[in-house]
């Protein structure tokens, strides 16, 4: 079967040398993800890579199904942003046996077998959590009660942003995370969880949201409870998408740690290299910064996402 004259790497998309990429996206849960998808689609087009795209609607089984279908279609390279960290070994072994290289984007997997993928392109989520915690340590005094809106349970960014944040706030025993719950990276989830926190926690000083969308949902809940976001309750988020940056510029969010969604150009570059059989680094970290209110005002006019 394997010797059916597919002509080895680079010839999967017919014999014209066009690279075919199968991309299994998490979903469209946030403004960040929408910008990420757009970046991948536009970059594939400009690189002349044929893109087969699927949206997993936040479900791992949908992603596994999509990857299996890409293997059957004999694409040249598979890229995906894993919904959760675990449970990928079986399907990635199938890709490996079919000699189709795999690139992880945005989120890592938790697997003993690092030969299952060629490279992981994305942010350092622990570092993002640390930046959020460091800002809190440096910009508050006295006892601080924090509520945390976590990302999707089991997802790499949720696990790591929590870990990095906790590592930094250890420096101040008077900063306490009094409640922590998942809002699934969505605006509606952030709003619901925040409504519950406002009822159960009499004294909330700070919201730490693992992404802008949940922070924006929390703002709605805080306003509905008659409090002033950014003043009565400080808000720290991760992402720096346009809606989040606008809220930061308006003083409703206090600090944002950037997570850059525009991974498309770097992804296509890596895809071309792995299909050609070139060596690539196992880990490629995206460039990112942080924003205060003033910096957000300055950055917004030219913001791409």
């Amino acid at each position: 079967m394997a010797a059916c004259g597919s002509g080895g790497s680079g010839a999967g998309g017919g014999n014209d040398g066009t690279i075919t990429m199968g991309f299994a996206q998490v979903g469209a849960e946030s403004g960040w993800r929408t910008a990420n998808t757009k970046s991948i689609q536009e970059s594939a087009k400009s690189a002349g890579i044929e893109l087969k795209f699927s949206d997993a609607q936040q479900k791992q089984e949908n992603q596994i199904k999509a990857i299996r279908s890409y293997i059957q279609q004999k694409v040249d390279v598979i890229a995906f942003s894993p919904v959760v960290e675990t449970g990928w070994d079986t399907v990635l072994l199938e890709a490996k046996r079919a000699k189709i290289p795999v690139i992880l984007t945005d989120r890592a997997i938790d697997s003993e077998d690092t030969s299952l993928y060629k490279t992981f392109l994305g942010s350092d989520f622990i570092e993002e959590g640390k930046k959020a915690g460091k800002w809190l340590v440096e910009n508050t005094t006295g006892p601080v009660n924090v509520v945390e809106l976590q990302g999707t349970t089991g997802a790499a960014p949720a696990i790591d942003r929590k870990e990095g944040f906790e590592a930094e706030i250890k420096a101040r025993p008077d900063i306490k995370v009094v409640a922590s719950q998942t809002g699934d990276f969505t605006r509606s989830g952030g709003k619901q969880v925040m409504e519950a926190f406002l009822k159960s926690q009499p004294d909330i000083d700070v919201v730490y949201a693992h992404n802008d969308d949940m922070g924006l949902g929390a703002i709605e809940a805080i306003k509905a409870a008659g409090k002033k976001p950014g003043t009565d309750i400080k808000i720290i988020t991760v992402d720096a998408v346009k809606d989040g940056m606008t809220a930061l510029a308006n003083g409703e969010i206090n600090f944002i740690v950037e997570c850059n969604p525009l991974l498309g150009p770097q992804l296509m570059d890596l895809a071309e290299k792995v299909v050609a059989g070139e060596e690539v680094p196992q880990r490629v970290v995206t460039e990112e910064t942080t924003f205060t209110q003033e910096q957000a005002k300055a950055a917004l006019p030219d913001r791409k996402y």
Side-chain angles (χ1 to χ4, degrees), residues 25 27-41 261:
Q25 183 59 285
E29 75 283 3
S30 58
W32 190 98
R33 186 69 52 198
T34 310
N36 177 242
T37 290
K38 200 174 159 198
S39 168
I40 288 158
Q41 289 169 333

Side-chain angles (χ1 to χ4, degrees), residues 153-173:
T153 307
I159 294 165
D160 293 353
R161 284 172 187 161
K162 184 177 175 59
E163 186 187 315
F165 184 75
E166 285 170 355
E168 281 295 319
I169 63 171
K170 274 202 185 93
R172 288 257 313 272

Side-chain angles (χ1 to χ4, degrees), residues 16 82 148 211 259 261 272:
D16 59 356
E148 180 178 33
N211 77 341
C259 180
E272 284 167 354

